[in-house]
Amino acid sequence: MNSGTGCVTSRDLEFTVPQMHAMANDVVARCIAHIAALPQQPPHGVHDAEALCRRLREPLPAAGTALTPLLDDLFERCIPQSFNTASPGYLAYIPGGGLFPAALADFIADTTNRYTGIWQAAPALVQLEANALEWLREWMGFPTGTRGLFTTGGSMATFNAVLCARERHLGPDIRRGVLYTSDQAHHCVIKSAKLAGIMPDRVRAVACDDAFRLPVPALREAIARDRRDGLVPFMVVSNAGTTNTGAVDPLAAIADVCADESLWHHVDGAYGAFFQLCDDTRDVLAGLERADSLTLDPHKGMFMPYGTGALLVRDGAALRAAHEATADYLPEMPSAAEFYDPSQHGPDLSRGFPGLRMWLTMKLYGADAFRAAITEKRALALEAVARMARLPHVVIDAPPALSLFPFHLTWPGATLAQEDAATRALMAATSRRGRVMISGAVAGGRYVGRVCVLSFRTHARQIDQLVEDLGAAIDEVVAGVRG
Ligand SMILES: Cc1ncc(COP(=O)(O)O)c(C=O)c1O
């Protein structure tokens, strides 16, 4: 048996029951203390990262170490040196969160270690995963017959969508196929296309309009041009919330184009799809429910821990056709119409159990809690934009379509380069104050700051802090750049 300190010394790699209790208690106590202290922790904790990483390099350990010093290192040295994506003040990039029950689900999944790659190995557990996918389908307004897949994130969901579209529309003739999106699309679109065999010269990033949206006339022109050139348009990827500015493409009009042109319409809802739950934003997202496939990122809009992405495909048979395969050593497949088999709907065979974190969390909170939380994020973004618009030198580049909006600084006589420098400096100055973190992007030919409200821990207090800290930093930043 192994030593009481959690140090592994025996060959069977097993711990006694009291040892497991002691180890788990130590871990749980630290995790809960970490969560309790989040409001006091800065949203941006990375300092002198290169030196730290160099110090952390280490040889392969021949012998084991006790758990306690390993946890000390993790919690004291490594975890604080991060963007604190779980912090209430994290308004940067697309915030995460990390609902606690999902961690418990992972603990259960990892300790019981059931095999959920194939239905027969754990039919009841796979059914719970199928239930969770079904609830997502219902939320998004997709029809029955839709099938889905839990993935590690939005990128892998998008990759699987491109595979489905390619199989449906191109078959073996991949090289002539063309995919359309906007120049505001997340870079996972071009990456997914490449992984699926669609090279960058067959991806058209149509220039966005003044509102950072995919312009439908330009999309139609690009498709017609490619057809004239003997190419085969097969897919449009539109955005339900871009990462740079939060813009939502005209999803219904793009769905019409795809219907007219017989193209696969994929909607990237990694950031925005869960705003379907909010009455105030459902109109903006109209047309999403007509998509052939939809990327969802529960680790964004459902506040789940990272590693929780999802794909819905309207024609479940298309998802299955892209992945179906079996082997002589595997049991016979269940009825495809009735039972969900993860390995027949995605690339993985052996896998973790992503469905449990979704199922347990959704059951524990209930749908209304998610609806209320996402509605609050929308209201907070509206509050933030209204108050920021009243700050000196602030220009709002686009109002929040959902809960993300871009802005920049200006003053009479400012050049674009000065505006960019001041806006960039403001991001850093605000984050340095240690209460909120915001990040920027280049969009519409300029550097913009971005506020994205999506953490379940962000409430009115953090919006107050955002406005106060921006207000306190703006004059100094502008004076510094003006000279
Ligand atoms: C709009 C959008 N699409 C796709 C992705 C990629 O998702 P993931 O990081 O989960 O792979 C992101 C990530 O931020 C995103 O914001």
Side-chain angles (χ1 to χ4, degrees):
M1 254 324 137
N2 294 306
S3 79
T5 58
C7 179
V8 181
T9 53
S10 78
R11 264 191 318 172
D12 70 5
L13 306 181
E14 194 69 274
F15 290 96
T16 64
V17 168
Q19 284 171 338
M20 286 190 278
H21 276 295
M23 292 165 79
N25 287 342
D26 195 357
V27 169
V28 169
R30 288 175 197 248
C31 289
I32 293 176
H34 176 83
I35 292 172
L38 278 171
Q40 286 78 51
Q41 296 171 13
H44 185 331
V46 182
H47 304 287
D48 204 5
E50 292 181 6
L52 174 68
C53 290
R54 287 188 192 108
R55 278 202 303 280
L56 284 172
R57 288 175 193 151
E58 57 191 348
L60 171 70
T65 309
L67 182 64
T68 300
L70 297 178
L71 294 178
D72 287 345
D73 249 16
L74 262 179
F75 279 86
E76 286 158 28
R77 275 215 300 173
C78 301
I79 292 171
Q81 288 279 345
S82 326
F83 295 172
N84 193 347
T85 48
S87 155
Y90 191 80
L91 306 168
Y93 302 98
I94 309 287
L99 292 172
F100 183 65
L104 301 180
D106 283 359
F107 187 73
I108 296 168
D110 291 353
T111 48
T112 58
N113 197 30
R114 291 299 190 258
Y115 192 89
T116 62
I118 58 169
W119 177 83
Q120 288 89 344
L125 298 179
V126 172
Q127 185 58 50
L128 302 186
E129 178 161 335
N131 293 354
L133 284 166
E134 186 62 13
W135 299 333
L136 294 183
R137 175 195 73 71
E138 206 178 305
W139 264 350
M140 296 301 140
F142 271 49
T144 51
T146 297
R147 280 294 193 195
L149 173 70
F150 285 118
T151 63
T152 47
S155 302
M156 288 312 288
T158 304
F159 164 62
N160 281 285
V162 180
L163 281 184
C164 292
R166 189 199 73 185
E167 288 289 287
R168 160 70 56 85
H169 287 284
L170 301 179
D173 189 12
I174 293 181
R175 185 61 192 131
R176 288 195 304 141
V178 186
L179 180 156
Y180 303 81
T181 190
S182 92
D183 63 3
Q184 294 300 301
H186 192 270
H187 63 285
C188 78
V189 174
I190 194 156
K191 200 166 151 182
S192 297
K194 197 169 160 188
L195 286 170
I198 310 299
M199 292 298 125
D201 65 335
R202 295 292 191 256
V203 178
R204 307 280 179 258
V206 178
C208 66
D209 64 17
D210 291 347
F212 307 103
R213 292 156 35 116
L214 175 59
V216 170
L219 172 64
R220 284 198 186 272
E221 279 165 33
I223 293 167
R225 201 166 36 246
D226 284 324
R227 287 208 198 280
R228 280 197 302 276
D229 290 345
L231 297 174
V232 182
F234 78 102
M235 180 176 200
V236 178
V237 178
S238 55
N239 299 291
T242 63
T243 319
N244 286 344
T245 68
V248 177
D249 289 335
L251 303 177
I254 296 170
D256 289 342
V257 173
C258 291
D260 293 348
E261 300 276 350
S262 299
L263 308 182
W264 185 284
H265 185 204
H266 177 74
V267 173
D268 177 359
Y271 154 55
F274 287 104
F275 284 90
Q276 277 285 73
L277 305 184
C278 167
D279 292 340
D280 191 25
T281 43
R282 208 164 299 121
D283 282 354
V284 182
L285 294 169
L288 176 146
E289 73 291 346
R290 289 173 57 196
D292 289 300
S293 53
L294 173 65
T295 288
L296 294 160
D297 243 353
H299 61 206
K300 296 184 173 78
M302 266 185 79
F303 326 114
M304 299 292 285
Y306 292 117
T308 322
L311 172 69
L312 294 179
V313 179
R314 168 178 299 271
D315 175 7
L319 181 62
R320 193 172 171 113
H323 293 291
E324 203 167 24
T326 190
D328 293 340
Y329 73 92
L330 288 175
E332 210 170 294
M333 300 208 197
S335 146
E338 190 176 359
F339 297 108
Y340 178 71
D341 185 301
S343 69
Q344 301 304 316
H345 294 85
D348 294 323
L349 179 58
S350 302
R351 64 207 275 274
F353 185 17
L356 187 62
R357 48 162 68 176
M358 288 292 292
W359 178 84
L360 188 75
T361 306
M362 291 172 92
K363 286 287 280 190
L364 204 134
Y365 287 107
D368 290 350
F370 289 100
R371 194 169 286 117
I374 204 84
T375 301
E376 184 203 15
K377 302 314 139 195
R378 164 75 177 162
L380 292 172
L382 292 180
E383 167 81 9
V385 78
R387 290 172 64 184
M388 281 176 58
R390 295 197 290 270
L391 290 175
H393 306 301
V394 168
V395 176
I396 305 296
D397 292 280
L402 304 169
S403 72
L404 190 175
F405 61 92
F407 67 96
H408 70 271
L409 292 180
T410 192
W411 56 91
T415 64
L416 177 62
Q418 285 178 316
E419 289 175 350
D420 282 0
T423 308
R424 213 178 269 277
L426 182 63
M427 297 301 100
T430 308
S431 295
R432 262 200 309 276
R433 287 172 184 264
R435 301 200 297 178
V436 298
M437 178 176 170
I438 45 180
S439 62
V442 174
R446 65 159 63 250
Y447 182 88
V448 293
R450 312 157 58 259
V451 173
C452 183
V453 188
L454 201 64
S455 168
F456 69 96
R457 295 192 173 103
T458 300
H459 301 296
R461 182 177 151 79
Q462 283 72 41
I463 303 305
D464 290 344
Q465 293 174 342
L466 169 74
V467 177
E468 284 165 22
D469 290 358
L470 284 170
I474 285 174
D475 284 336
E476 199 182 309
V477 160
V478 169
V481 173
R482 256 174 154 171

